[in-house]
Amino acid sequence: MQKILALDVGKKKIGIAITDLLQITAQPHSTIRSKNLEEQIDKIIAIIDENSIKTVVVGLPKNMNDSEGDQASWTKNFVEKISAKKQDIEIVYIDERLTSKMALSSLKHMNMKKIKEKGLIDTVAAVNILETYLKRKENGII
């Protein structure tokens, strides 16, 4: 088995989570803080290469009525740029509605200033995205 990577894509920050080799647990990996698109993509590709990733799970921000808005389009365009450079990876989109709120809830015992400074919300949101994927895969939904 191989590790799976998850991305919570934002325009300024990208939260990253990764599984163990057995694809049982999702752990926070890092947060990329950059407005430079090429730098963001290069860092993600470096993580993919370092961990021999073949599957990337991406949180797709949908509206509550299940439609896709501007952020979903932006996310898909961003991921297409990664796919163009790493054609041997599978991209799986997961509805990420409320993952940031879930992340905030998970981190509520911490000081909010530190949470924002460390980019933990984005990374924990990526963990939530990856855990959703793993549960669906285990239940045969994916």
Side-chain angles (χ1 to χ4, degrees), residues 28-128:
H29 182 278
S30 59
T31 300
I32 295 173
R33 296 171 182 246
S34 173
K35 294 179 186 177
N36 181 310
L37 192 65
E38 283 303 312
E39 184 180 337
Q40 292 172 337
I41 291 168
D42 289 345
K43 286 182 178 184
I44 291 168
I45 289 173
I47 295 167
I48 289 169
D49 289 343
E50 289 167 13
N51 292 281
S52 303
I53 300 293
K54 295 295 178 199
T55 303
V56 177
V57 180
V58 181
L60 189 63
K62 291 188 173 185
N63 298 319
M64 292 312 262
N65 66 2
D66 211 34
S67 66
E68 294 181 11
D70 292 339
Q71 185 62 31
S73 296
W74 191 91
T75 298
K76 285 183 173 181
N77 287 333
F78 178 83
V79 172
E80 285 174 16
K81 289 175 173 54
I82 295 170
S83 293
K85 289 188 174 189
K86 287 297 294 180
Q87 297 176 357
D88 61 337
I89 59 171
E90 174 190 18
I91 302 294
V92 179
Y93 289 101
I94 293 288
D95 183 355
E96 72 159 19
R97 281 180 281 195
L98 307 176
T99 55
S100 291
K101 287 184 182 181
M102 288 169 45
L104 269 172
S105 177
S106 298
L107 296 167
K108 69 182 175 183
H109 66 281
M110 291 181 66
N111 177 312
M112 286 304 291
K113 185 178 178 185
K114 289 188 180 196
I115 290 170
K116 289 180 182 178
E117 284 172 6
K118 294 182 179 182
L120 291 176
I121 294 170
D122 304 288
T123 305
V124 173
V127 169
N128 290 338

